Amino acid sequence: MKALVALILLVQLPIHKAIPAAPPAPLGCDDPESEAAAEVAVNYINGQSHHGYKFTLNTIEDIRVVPQGPNNDIIFLELNLLETKCPILSPTPLANCTVRSFAEHAVEGDCDVKLQKVDGILSVLASKCHSHADSNEDVRKVCPDCSLLERMNNTDVLEAVSAALNDYNSKTTGPYLRLLEIGRGKIQYHPGHIIATEFAVGATNCSAEEAKANVGACQLLPEDQSNFGFCTAVMVKSPSQDLQVDCQLYGHQVPDIPLLSQDTSAGLAPSAVGFTNHNLGLAHNNPVASESSSSEILRSMVAAKSVTKRAVAAVAQHDKVPRPVGFVPPPPPCPGKIRHFDI
């Protein structure tokens, strides 16, 4: 009889349905975890770049996290980067590199990066970047008299680089330098005709004096003895004629990237001359990853966006707590703060 009464009471108890836990809110672009992932991504991008200049983070445009299992996430980042004044071969730490200003005709890069985070350890699976210089019109708004970037096969730019390198080699008591690549070229036409250039160089196995006898025998030093450097030069063609050259050698360092060129000279071999002043065009798959192509990043990011939107909708549906009068909702988690300036 007691058992029957207990059974009746049990049947009469109200049944409460378990409320499923809402998915975690999406990660914000300025969260510490996002910034840590962006730092790993930027270091990876610079490490894979073989030309031009180092880029630094400007803004985290978007971040999406797709859980893969316990302590295992795939992270998709959309980053906006800005070009610094540090050549890619420079040993200067990125944190000490100065970002180019508007007046210097800034260059920005946009990158999609796919990372994996396993047990707190971040690694890049793949990246895809492209870059472009600020528009001439925007530069003119900030600095009406500033010179603008020229294509690096511009006749004046080539002439200035060739003259600058020949001038330096004719005066130095150190190693004979060969051109690796031209980094930038800018021309001012008024009130005078002035060409400003920047270019990367490498020391050869000849002294400048030895090169006078047989320059063709002078070859870039092998990797275990390599010594790279960077030069800036300003050539004034009118109203007077003048040439100022400054070259700095970095000293021997084993590069993390292949040599920019093994077949260049002060005669400006075609392989050393690019056509634009920005070199972040990069699509790279980490060889330890199973990425088939960089287009996989874009497909994955579209899928990740869908997952994130569903998560946001679920959180919004679950979190319908009345808000007090005057409540101001927090800003959207992305895009993040602008660290330097917006082009």
Side-chain angles (χ1 to χ4, degrees), residues 23-79:
L27 201 61
C29 280
D30 290 331
D31 290 348
E33 299 94 324
S34 304
E35 294 187 340
E39 181 179 3
V40 170
V42 172
N43 288 336
Y44 177 86
I45 290 165
N46 283 326
Q48 298 302 322
S49 180
H50 299 174
H51 301 278
Y53 301 84
K54 296 180 182 181
F55 279 73
T56 191
L57 179 65
N58 189 36
T59 308
I60 301 175
E61 298 287 351
D62 200 8
I63 180 169
R64 292 179 287 280
V65 181
V66 180
Q68 301 295 296
N71 299 318
N72 185 354
D73 294 323
I74 297 294
I75 301 173
F76 299 94
L77 283 174
E78 293 180 22
L79 304 177

Side-chain angles (χ1 to χ4, degrees), residues 1-11:
M1 184 67 178
K2 290 181 179 181
L4 180 59
V5 172
L7 180 61
I8 293 172
L9 291 174
L10 181 62
V11 171

